[in-house]
Amino acid sequence: MSEHQTEAEIRQDIADARRRLSDTAEALAYKANVPARAREKAGEMRDKAMHTASVAATKADAAMDKAQHAAAEKLPDPVAQPAEQLIATIRRNPVPFALGAVVAIWILRRLLS
């Protein structure tokens, strides 16, 4: 501080120093609160996973529609009807089909490598 500062300037300097100190204290408290940061990060990851799952479900639904239409149009009737039933079953309960597909891919990769 210089000798020529007015009382108002000194008060302003003090208020600025208090504000900076408050900001620093808040930043330190945030860094020290690891559980809160972990919950925040977990929430972000959950939101990202939910979005990814939603996008994947939309793409899978579109692929199922395409497969169902292709089965109805290109396959002969005796084959088309069971294919449509299979697609409907997969739509109702996709988890076992997805797990089966993952296992089949894993087996193929093991056999081919």
Side-chain angles (χ1 to χ4, degrees):
M1 289 189 279
S2 69
E3 296 177 24
H4 304 297
Q5 282 187 315
T6 65
E7 184 178 335
E9 291 172 334
I10 293 171
R11 289 186 189 276
Q12 183 61 44
D13 287 346
I14 291 171
D16 290 343
R18 283 183 180 155
R19 202 172 307 113
R20 286 192 307 273
L21 182 59
S22 174
D23 291 345
T24 301
E26 285 178 22
L28 287 173
Y30 175 77
K31 284 186 175 187
N33 194 351
V34 174
R37 288 194 337 223
R39 282 191 301 275
E40 185 178 293
K41 187 68 175 176
E44 290 172 6
M45 291 173 66
R46 183 194 70 234
D47 292 344
K48 185 177 179 181
M50 293 292 282
H51 174 72
T52 302
S54 175
V55 169
T58 302
K59 287 181 180 180
D61 197 38
M64 293 298 286
D65 281 342
K66 186 177 179 181
Q68 193 167 14
H69 290 299
E73 291 176 3
K74 296 182 181 179
L75 295 176
D77 283 339
V79 178
Q81 189 174 13
E84 287 179 6
Q85 289 173 348
L86 175 64
I87 291 169
T89 302
I90 293 170
R91 277 182 188 248
R92 283 192 305 273
N93 199 4
V95 174
F97 175 76
L99 289 175
V102 168
V103 169
I105 291 169
W106 180 76
I107 290 171
L108 286 173
R109 290 188 71 176
R110 298 272 296 179
L111 292 174
L112 296 176
S113 61

